[in-house]
Amino acid sequence: MELVEESPYRFRIDRHDPMRVPGVVFASRSLLPDAGADRSLEQVANVATLPGIVGASYAMPDVHLGYGFPIGGVAATDVEAGGVVSPGGVGFDISCGVRLLAASLDRAELRPRLDALMDSLSEATPRGMGKGAVWHLADGTELDALLRGGSRYAVERGYGVRRDLDRCEDYGAVGDANPAQVSQRAVQRGAGQVGSLGSGNHFLEVQAVEEVYDEPVADAFGLRAGQVCVMIHCGSRGLGHQICTDYVHAMEKVMPGYGIHVPDRQLACAPVSSHEGRAYLGAMAAAANYARANRQLLHHAARHVFERITGSDLSLVYDVSHNLAKIETHGVDGEQRRLCVHRKGATRALPPGHPELPDDLRAVGQPVLIPGSMGTDSYVLVGTPGAPAFASTCHGAGRTQSRKQATKAVRGHDPRRELEAQDIAVRGKSRRGLAEEMPTAYKDINAVIEATEGAGLCRRVARLVPVGVVKG
């Protein structure tokens, strides 16, 4: 794949048939994928063939191989010009995202109570592959209400406070959710998992604010140096996975009828305005609401643990997804157009003044939450005016090894002991779960953030370091 370096943090893949637009990769040279081992740049070019795509097929600094779209991929299609929606452009863990909570105590105050806190958080956080949840729904009516109402419904039922909704993307719920378009199999998979962490790269991490780069913005977010925070990373569990599976198969069948041909069957898609496109977006929104409620329930459980062990509340800094397709209005070629913006392993980063931001954040911009790999720094950034890629940025460090490769690489090591040697308290469900997520399996988060800021995607506000981690 030939890349043209446009600037130190921006590379171009020139358009060639059947691409409709060029590819653009935001990265430093050291972060570019190894073409021999990672086909993600080929996926960037494949995404550029989608009907109705505008601007470019974008890749973030954490880009790596995904399903259809690369993880760290962003693409927008023009709804009125036959633009399509592709489940592979959202991913299997629909609305997987990050929630950051701020405590009212400092790291030094926490230290004598850390072990007790971590034990209690471990006990209060259902996790792993199977069932187990904070909220055991009474029946299908409750699940239907949750799929429509997301965090709003959870708060209404006593699992949180009003401010939680003000600091959540879409104020806690995506509109136009249609549970009727969610298969019974997806409902069955999700019914017993509301308020659970899952496995893989999902975590609940106790952190401390190590460095503040912009004090006025950090203050608006509710952050200060030395402060204890909690970061939660999880999504829509089995429900979202099944929805993606269902609609990839459905769209693969109908593409020929719409005259759509894609270079990879994993890019199965349908026009946004078609029956299949509308059905998927309705089901996807329902899964997004499930994911918002899932993080809300885990927040609620952690809040009670903190209050009991430390006497501190946990207030929400922000909750934002990084696997979603949203209908948004953006300027394209001097015109405002309705676009279906796919963000696959990519985070929305709204600039100051954006009307979708809550009143207390509008002047400074949207908090952008970028977790590191287990045992490394995480970052809080902020959206900036005039950013490229439809106000999108990266979502994490980005894998360089598969889970199987990562497990093999640490054979003979003790992941728990190595993390504890860094003064990080570990509560893991299994050794394998820890081995799969060790920092050696990921890109350098500091290099990713440098490229993200250098490319003008967003701006650093604070750096957080891990104190303790709960893993599936």
Side-chain angles (χ1 to χ4, degrees), residues 82-144:
V84 297
V85 60
S86 173
V90 172
F92 286 93
D93 197 358
I94 296 169
S95 198
C96 183
V98 181
R99 173 172 288 224
L100 182 65
L101 320 172
S104 55
L105 76 163
D106 290 344
R107 184 174 185 174
E109 297 174 272
L110 175 62
R111 185 169 295 279
R113 288 168 283 185
L114 178 60
D115 283 339
L117 178 75
M118 294 305 301
D119 288 343
S120 295
L121 285 173
S122 178
E123 185 177 342
T125 306
R127 59 197 192 276
M129 291 290 290
K131 292 186 178 181
V134 174
W135 188 1
H136 300 282
L137 301 174
D139 51 33
T141 302
E142 276 198 334
L143 180 58
D144 186 87

Side-chain angles (χ1 to χ4, degrees), residues 15-306:
R15 193 192 73 78
H16 57 270
D17 288 338
M19 293 170 65
R20 302 171 191 263
V21 294
V24 171
V25 183
F26 300 107
S28 61
R29 283 204 169 272
S30 65
L31 291 173
L32 289 172
D34 178 356
D38 184 326
R39 292 178 39 248
S40 56
L41 296 185
E42 181 182 332
Q43 290 185 319
V44 173
N46 288 344
V47 169
T49 70
L50 291 176
I53 189 170
V54 298
S57 169
Y58 294 102
M60 299 295 123
D62 56 340
V63 64
H64 56 287
L65 188 68
Y67 183 92
F69 273 57
I71 297 171
V74 175
T77 63
D78 189 326
V79 176
E80 271 75 44
V84 297
V85 60
S86 173
V90 172
F92 286 93
D93 197 358
I94 296 169
S95 198
C96 183
V98 181
R99 173 172 288 224
L100 182 65
L101 320 172
S104 55
L105 76 163
D106 290 344
R107 184 174 185 174
E109 297 174 272
L110 175 62
R111 185 169 295 279
R113 288 168 283 185
L114 178 60
D115 283 339
L117 178 75
M118 294 305 301
D119 288 343
S120 295
L121 285 173
S122 178
E123 185 177 342
T125 306
R127 59 197 192 276
M129 291 290 290
K131 292 186 178 181
V134 174
W135 188 1
H136 300 282
L137 301 174
D139 51 33
T141 302
E142 276 198 334
L143 180 58
D144 186 87
L146 184 139
L147 295 179
R148 295 180 187 277
S151 293
R152 297 177 197 172
Y153 181 64
V155 170
E156 180 184 309
R157 293 297 303 273
Y159 295 99
V161 298
R162 171 69 207 187
R163 186 182 179 280
D164 295 343
L165 304 180
D166 293 338
R167 285 295 187 95
C168 186
E169 182 182 10
D170 304 311
Y171 298 94
V174 180
D176 300 324
N178 188 353
Q181 301 299 337
V182 178
S183 71
Q184 191 58 37
R185 174 62 179 146
V187 167
Q188 290 170 351
R189 291 185 66 181
Q193 297 181 328
V194 185
S196 61
L197 201 59
S199 56
N201 64 344
H202 296 156
F203 62 80
L204 182 151
E205 189 168 278
V206 179
Q207 303 171 335
V209 179
E210 183 75 1
E211 189 172 7
V212 172
Y213 305 99
D214 189 321
E215 288 195 9
V217 175
D219 184 62
F221 289 175
L223 297 173
R224 55 180 169 74
Q227 183 178 25
V228 171
C229 295
V230 173
M231 183 175 280
I232 299 171
H233 175 212
C234 66
S236 51
R237 302 294 322 270
L239 180 132
H241 194 285
Q242 190 63 47
I243 288 171
C244 182
T245 299
D246 292 342
Y247 280 93
V248 166
H249 292 159
M251 290 186 179
E252 190 177 12
K253 292 177 182 177
V254 302
M255 279 194 299
Y258 292 112
I260 296 173
H261 305 280
V262 292
D264 180 354
R265 61 171 295 276
Q266 295 180 358
L267 290 174
C269 57
V272 173
S273 58
S274 69
H275 167 74
E276 294 81 11
R278 293 193 304 273
Y280 170 71
L281 287 172
M284 182 210 69
N289 289 339
Y290 183 102
R292 308 284 169 82
N294 194 26
R295 292 192 289 275
Q296 181 68 42
L297 267 290
L298 292 169
H299 175 182
H300 179 76
R303 172 180 272 150
H304 278 297
V305 169
F306 260 75

